[in-house]
Amino acid sequence: MTVKLGFHVSISGSLSKSIDNALSLGCSAFQIFTRSPRQWKTKDIPIEDSTLFIKKLKESPIGFDSVVVHMPYLPNLSAPPSEMYTKSFEVLKEELIRCNILNIPNLVIHLGSHLGKGPKNGITQLTNACNTALNDFHDSSEKKNNVKILLENSAGQKNSVGSSIDEISEIFDGLKTGDFGLCLDTCHAFGAGYDITNENGVVHLMDLISNKIGFNRLKVIHLNDSKGQLGSNLDRHYHIGIGKIGENAFKFLLNNKELRHIPFIMETPIDKVRGNSDNMLFAKNLLQGST
Ligand SMILES: [Zn+2]
Ligand SMILES: [Zn+2]
């Protein structure tokens, strides 16, 4: 089985255009927003759009399980009770429905900020939002939910929830069903203080995940190098292998047979140093014994 590797790609034009964008970059996995990530309101997905998306994806070499949806940026599911929290919860419910319509099984969410109320409060708000969104889905839909909500580890910015594996493990303790998983962002992990610059460091992090969360919960990896230093709490993505993490981590992850079923999504910048095709080439060159 070849590695599932790709980028966050644009849906500009139409949802199904994202599949063309992914294929033109040589992706075997990809991530999208189902709507503008910087707006609260959205329109329902027209049936023609979802039908075309599903048809095109079926005809492509990319499997549905290699496609990931990222929640918009605005929601804060760890916020204290407020209009912000209510709106964030609505977006989560909408995205759960949209992923089910599009047959996309992976929905990545940010864990948000407790805004000074403390991690315990943040975690309670977050787990309530997640549990209730799923309950509401089951109550309102005849179909069974086929989407996993994937918690993405944060870089540990001020008041952020879920930068440590311990804290994410606590969040999982509050989630009532098996409809949840983990999306590991390598840049965020490094920013949060996990030294993954060498193989031992990566193995240590994987062991922590196995012991405290469960390896089978790991569903997506956001494969990003870091512009910020180890433990800097900075969320600054950089090109694969030439940031502060360096290529060892990526080489190890990409060649790890136990991770072959997991989509690796790069969210790397596009600038004078490299574009997406350069990062794809670099990542593919790290793959041993493959073409
Ligand atoms: Zn993210
Ligand atoms: Zn990030």
Side-chain angles (χ1 to χ4, degrees):
M1 194 157 102
T2 54
V3 69
K4 297 172 171 176
L5 176 65
F7 290 97
H8 184 103
V9 293
S10 166
I11 55 160
S12 175
S14 72
L15 275 166
S16 63
K17 187 79 177 27
S18 64
I19 303 167
D20 303 324
N21 293 338
L23 291 174
S24 71
L25 286 162
C27 297
S28 45
F30 68 96
Q31 176 177 280
I32 55 170
F33 295 118
T34 73
R35 53 154 106 192
S36 163
R38 295 178 204 283
Q39 281 171 15
W40 286 104
K41 289 220 175 310
T42 188
K43 292 189 182 118
D44 285 348
I45 300 171
I47 181 96
E48 311 87 77
D49 287 17
S50 52
T51 310
L52 184 60
F53 180 89
I54 291 168
K55 177 175 180 282
K56 237 177 166 177
L57 192 56
K58 260 187 199 153
E59 289 164 3
S60 85
I62 302 175
F64 282 83
D65 59 350
S66 305
V67 184
V68 180
V69 163
H70 197 296
M71 273 268 281
Y73 290 131
L74 298 176
N76 179 6
L77 295 165
S78 292
S82 55
E83 193 193 340
M84 163 59 99
Y85 181 71
T86 311
K87 276 158 70 179
S88 303
F89 170 64
E90 288 305 319
V91 173
L92 176 62
K93 287 211 298 186
E94 286 164 11
E95 288 301 300
L96 200 54
I97 294 169
R98 293 161 82 88
C99 287
N100 272 289
I101 288 173
L102 294 170
N103 268 359
I104 301 178
N106 306 297
L107 171 61
V108 170
I109 66 167
H110 283 182
L111 306 182
S113 165
H114 58 71
L115 300 175
K117 297 280 180 193
K120 270 220 153 18
N121 278 301
I123 292 174
T124 305
Q125 291 294 93
L126 173 68
T127 49
N128 279 343
C130 289
N131 289 328
T132 315
L134 273 167
N135 262 339
D136 288 1
F137 183 90
H138 289 302
D139 289 347
S140 65
S141 168
E142 280 137 44
K143 285 199 196 137
K144 183 174 147 283
N145 172 45
N146 282 315
V147 177
K148 283 215 160 28
I149 298 176
L150 307 182
L151 316 181
E152 178 176 354
N153 63 308
S154 65
Q157 306 93 316
K158 190 169 181 245
N159 294 338
S160 66
V161 170
S163 61
S164 72
I165 299 302
D166 277 329
E167 201 164 286
I168 295 174
S169 155
E170 239 180 272
I171 299 170
F172 273 109
D173 288 342
L175 297 171
K176 303 237 160 66
T177 69
D179 297 307
F180 298 94
L182 174 69
C183 167
L184 178 73
D185 186 305
T186 52
C187 168
H188 300 177
F190 187 71
Y194 294 100
D195 185 355
I196 47 171
T197 52
N198 56 61
E199 197 177 310
N200 283 344
V202 185
V203 171
H204 175 68
L205 178 58
M206 288 298 153
D207 284 348
L208 272 180
I209 293 172
S210 297
N211 295 335
K212 306 214 160 173
I213 297 173
F215 186 73
N216 58 346
R217 282 240 163 91
L218 178 61
K219 300 294 179 193
V220 170
I221 291 182
H222 279 169
L223 201 71
N224 300 309
D225 210 324
S226 169
K227 201 161 188 182
Q229 302 281 359
L230 174 67
S232 62
N233 299 129
L234 286 176
D235 179 8
R236 302 252 170 85
H237 300 184
Y238 205 57
H239 304 295
I240 305 299
I242 54 172
K244 295 289 190 293
I245 298 177
E247 68 178 62
N248 286 335
F250 302 106
K251 194 172 190 174
F252 180 73
L253 289 168
L254 286 166
N255 289 292
N256 191 323
K257 291 212 164 52
E258 286 178 57
L259 300 173
R260 275 294 140 89
H261 60 292
I262 292 177
F264 291 96
I265 305 291
M266 293 180 272
E267 304 169 314
T268 37
I270 296 172
D271 57 25
K272 274 187 230 146
V273 181
R274 275 191 205 163
N276 281 343
S277 38
D278 306 311
N279 275 313
M280 181 57 95
L281 195 65
F282 191 91
K284 283 191 173 165
N285 280 337
L286 293 178
L287 286 167
Q288 287 151 350
S290 59
T291 47

Coordinates of all heavy atoms in Angstrom, one line a residue, residues 70 73 110-111 152-158 160 163 185-192 222 224-238 267-269:
H70 N -11.6 20.2 7.1 CA -11.2 21.0 8.3 C -12.3 22.0 8.6 O -12.8 22.6 7.7 CB -9.9 21.7 7.9 CG -9.1 22.2 9.1 ND1 -9.7 23.2 9.9 CD2 -7.9 21.9 9.6 CE1 -8.8 23.5 10.9 NE2 -7.7 22.7 10.7
Y73 N -12.2 28.4 10.6 CA -11.3 28.9 11.6 C -12.0 29.6 12.7 O -11.5 29.7 13.8 CB -10.3 29.9 11.0 CG -9.2 29.3 10.1 CD1 -9.0 29.8 8.9 CD2 -8.5 28.1 10.6 CE1 -8.0 29.2 8.0 CE2 -7.6 27.6 9.7 CZ -7.3 28.1 8.5 OH -6.4 27.5 7.7
H110 N -10.4 22.3 15.6 CA -9.5 22.9 16.5 C -10.2 22.9 17.9 O -11.4 22.9 18.0 CB -9.2 24.3 16.1 CG -8.2 24.4 15.0 ND1 -7.8 25.6 14.5 CD2 -7.6 23.4 14.3 CE1 -6.9 25.4 13.5 NE2 -6.8 24.1 13.4
L111 N -9.3 22.8 18.9 CA -9.9 22.6 20.3 C -10.2 23.9 21.0 O -10.7 24.0 22.1 CB -8.9 21.7 21.1 CG -8.7 20.4 20.3 CD1 -7.8 19.5 21.1 CD2 -10.0 19.7 20.0
E152 N -7.7 18.1 16.9 CA -6.3 18.4 16.5 C -5.6 19.1 17.6 O -6.0 20.0 18.2 CB -6.4 19.4 15.3 CG -5.0 19.9 14.8 CD -5.0 20.8 13.6 OE1 -6.1 21.0 13.0 OE2 -4.0 21.3 13.3
N153 N -4.4 18.5 17.9 CA -3.5 19.1 19.0 C -3.1 20.5 18.7 O -2.9 20.8 17.5 CB -2.3 18.2 19.2 CG -1.4 18.1 18.0 OD1 -1.8 17.9 16.9 ND2 -0.1 18.4 18.2
S154 N -3.1 21.3 19.7 CA -2.8 22.7 19.5 C -1.3 23.0 19.8 O -0.7 22.2 20.5 CB -3.7 23.6 20.2 OG -3.5 23.4 21.6
A155 N -0.8 24.2 19.4 CA 0.6 24.5 19.7 C 0.8 25.0 21.1 O 2.0 25.2 21.5 CB 1.1 25.5 18.6
G156 N -0.2 25.3 21.8 CA -0.1 25.7 23.2 C -0.1 27.2 23.3 O 0.5 27.8 24.3
Q157 N -0.7 27.9 22.4 CA -0.9 29.4 22.5 C -1.6 29.7 23.8 O -2.3 28.8 24.3 CB -1.6 30.0 21.3 CG -1.1 29.6 19.9 CD -1.7 28.4 19.3 OE1 -1.9 27.4 20.0 NE2 -2.1 28.5 18.1
K158 N -1.5 30.9 24.3 CA -2.1 31.3 25.5 C -3.6 30.9 25.6 O -4.4 31.1 24.6 CB -2.1 32.8 25.7 CG -2.5 33.3 27.0 CD -2.1 34.8 27.2 CE -2.5 35.2 28.6 NZ -3.6 36.2 28.6
S160 N -5.0 28.2 25.1 CA -5.5 27.1 24.2 C -5.7 25.8 24.9 O -5.1 25.5 25.9 CB -4.5 27.0 23.0 OG -3.3 26.4 23.5
S163 N -3.0 21.1 24.0 CA -1.7 21.1 23.4 C -0.9 19.9 23.9 O 0.1 19.5 23.2 CB -0.9 22.4 23.7 OG -0.7 22.5 25.1
D185 N -0.9 17.2 14.5 CA -0.2 18.2 13.7 C 1.3 18.2 14.2 O 1.5 18.5 15.4 CB -0.9 19.6 13.8 CG -0.2 20.6 12.9 OD1 1.0 20.8 13.0 OD2 -1.0 21.2 12.1
T186 N 2.2 17.9 13.4 CA 3.6 17.8 13.8 C 4.2 19.2 14.2 O 4.9 19.3 15.2 CB 4.5 17.2 12.7 OG1 4.3 17.9 11.5 CG2 4.2 15.7 12.5
C187 N 3.8 20.2 13.5 CA 4.2 21.6 13.8 C 3.7 22.0 15.2 O 4.5 22.5 16.0 CB 3.8 22.6 12.7 SG 4.0 24.3 13.2
H188 N 2.4 21.7 15.4 CA 1.8 22.1 16.7 C 2.5 21.3 17.9 O 2.8 21.8 18.9 CB 0.3 21.8 16.7 CG -0.4 22.6 15.7 ND1 -1.7 22.5 15.5 CD2 0.0 23.5 14.8 CE1 -2.1 23.3 14.5 NE2 -1.0 23.9 14.0
A189 N 2.7 20.0 17.6 CA 3.4 19.2 18.7 C 4.7 19.7 19.0 O 5.1 19.8 20.2 CB 3.5 17.7 18.2
F190 N 5.5 20.1 18.0 CA 6.8 20.6 18.2 C 6.7 22.0 19.0 O 7.5 22.2 20.0 CB 7.5 20.8 16.9 CG 9.0 21.2 16.9 CD1 9.9 20.3 17.3 CD2 9.3 22.5 16.6 CE1 11.3 20.7 17.4 CE2 10.7 22.9 16.6 CZ 11.6 22.0 17.0
G191 N 5.8 22.8 18.6 CA 5.6 24.1 19.3 C 5.2 23.9 20.7 O 5.5 24.7 21.6
A192 N 4.5 22.8 21.0 CA 4.0 22.5 22.3 C 5.1 21.8 23.2 O 4.9 21.5 24.3 CB 2.8 21.6 22.3
H222 N -1.3 15.9 10.3 CA -1.0 17.2 9.6 C 0.6 17.3 9.5 O 1.2 17.5 10.6 CB -1.6 18.4 10.3 CG -3.0 18.6 10.0 ND1 -3.8 19.5 10.7 CD2 -3.8 18.1 9.0 CE1 -5.0 19.5 10.1 NE2 -5.1 18.6 9.1
N224 N 3.6 19.0 8.9 CA 4.1 20.4 8.7 C 5.4 20.5 9.5 O 5.5 20.1 10.6 CB 3.1 21.4 9.3 CG 1.7 21.4 8.6 OD1 1.7 21.4 7.4 ND2 0.7 21.3 9.4
D225 N 6.4 21.2 8.8 CA 7.6 21.5 9.6 C 7.2 22.9 10.3 O 6.2 23.4 10.1 CB 8.8 21.7 8.7 CG 10.1 21.4 9.4 OD1 10.2 21.7 10.6 OD2 11.0 20.8 8.8
S226 N 8.2 23.3 11.2 CA 7.9 24.4 12.0 C 8.9 25.6 11.8 O 10.1 25.3 11.8 CB 7.9 24.0 13.5 OG 7.8 25.1 14.3
K227 N 8.3 26.8 11.8 CA 9.2 27.9 11.7 C 9.6 28.3 13.1 O 10.7 28.9 13.4 CB 8.5 29.1 11.1 CG 9.4 30.1 10.5 CD 8.8 31.0 9.5 CE 9.9 31.9 8.9 NZ 9.4 32.8 7.9
G228 N 8.8 28.0 14.1 CA 9.0 28.3 15.5 C 9.9 27.3 16.2 O 10.0 26.1 15.7
Q229 N 10.6 27.7 17.2 CA 11.4 26.8 18.0 C 10.6 25.7 18.8 O 9.4 26.0 19.1 CB 12.3 27.5 19.0 CG 13.1 28.6 18.4 CD 14.4 28.1 17.8 OE1 14.7 26.9 17.8 NE2 15.2 29.0 17.2
L230 N 11.3 24.7 19.2 CA 10.8 23.7 20.1 C 10.2 24.4 21.4 O 10.9 25.2 22.0 CB 11.8 22.7 20.5 CG 11.5 21.7 21.6 CD1 10.4 20.7 21.1 CD2 12.7 20.9 22.1
G231 N 8.9 24.1 21.7 CA 8.3 24.7 22.9 C 8.0 26.2 22.8 O 7.6 26.8 23.8
S232 N 8.0 26.7 21.6 CA 7.8 28.2 21.4 C 6.3 28.5 21.5 O 5.9 29.7 21.5 CB 8.3 28.6 20.1 OG 7.7 27.9 19.0
N233 N 5.4 27.5 21.4 CA 4.0 27.6 21.3 C 3.5 28.4 20.1 O 2.4 28.9 20.0 CB 3.4 28.3 22.6 CG 3.7 27.6 23.8 OD1 4.2 28.1 24.8 ND2 3.4 26.3 23.8
L234 N 4.4 28.4 19.1 CA 4.1 29.1 17.9 C 3.5 28.2 16.9 O 3.9 27.0 16.7 CB 5.3 29.8 17.3 CG 5.9 31.0 18.0 CD1 7.1 31.5 17.3 CD2 4.8 32.1 17.9
D235 N 2.4 28.6 16.2 CA 1.8 27.8 15.1 C 2.2 28.4 13.8 O 1.4 29.1 13.1 CB 0.3 27.9 15.3 CG -0.5 27.1 14.3 OD1 0.1 26.4 13.5 OD2 -1.7 27.3 14.3
R236 N 3.5 28.2 13.4 CA 4.0 28.7 12.1 C 4.5 27.5 11.3 O 5.5 27.0 11.6 CB 5.1 29.7 12.3 CG 4.8 30.8 13.2 CD 4.7 32.2 12.4 NE 4.2 33.2 13.2 CZ 5.0 33.9 14.1 NH1 6.3 33.8 14.1 NH2 4.4 34.8 14.8
H237 N 3.7 27.2 10.3 CA 4.1 26.0 9.5 C 5.2 26.4 8.6 O 5.3 27.5 8.2 CB 2.9 25.6 8.6 CG 1.7 25.2 9.5 ND1 0.6 24.7 8.9 CD2 1.5 25.2 10.8 CE1 -0.3 24.4 9.8 NE2 0.2 24.7 11.0
Y238 N 6.1 25.4 8.3 CA 7.1 25.6 7.3 C 7.3 24.4 6.4 O 6.7 23.4 6.6 CB 8.4 26.0 8.1 CG 9.4 26.8 7.2 CD1 8.9 28.0 6.6 CD2 10.6 26.4 6.8 CE1 9.7 28.8 5.8 CE2 11.5 27.1 6.0 CZ 11.0 28.3 5.5 OH 11.8 29.0 4.6
E267 N 0.2 21.2 5.2 CA -0.4 22.6 5.2 C 0.7 23.6 5.2 O 0.8 24.4 6.1 CB -1.3 22.8 6.4 CG -2.4 21.7 6.6 CD -3.0 21.8 8.0 OE1 -2.3 21.9 9.0 OE2 -4.2 21.8 8.1
T268 N 1.6 23.4 4.2 CA 2.8 24.2 4.1 C 2.6 25.5 3.4 O 1.7 25.6 2.6 CB 3.9 23.3 3.4 OG1 3.3 22.6 2.4 CG2 4.5 22.3 4.4
P269 N 3.4 26.5 3.7 CA 3.2 27.8 3.0 C 3.6 27.7 1.5 O 4.2 26.7 1.0 CB 4.2 28.7 3.7 CG 5.1 27.9 4.5 CD 4.5 26.5 4.6

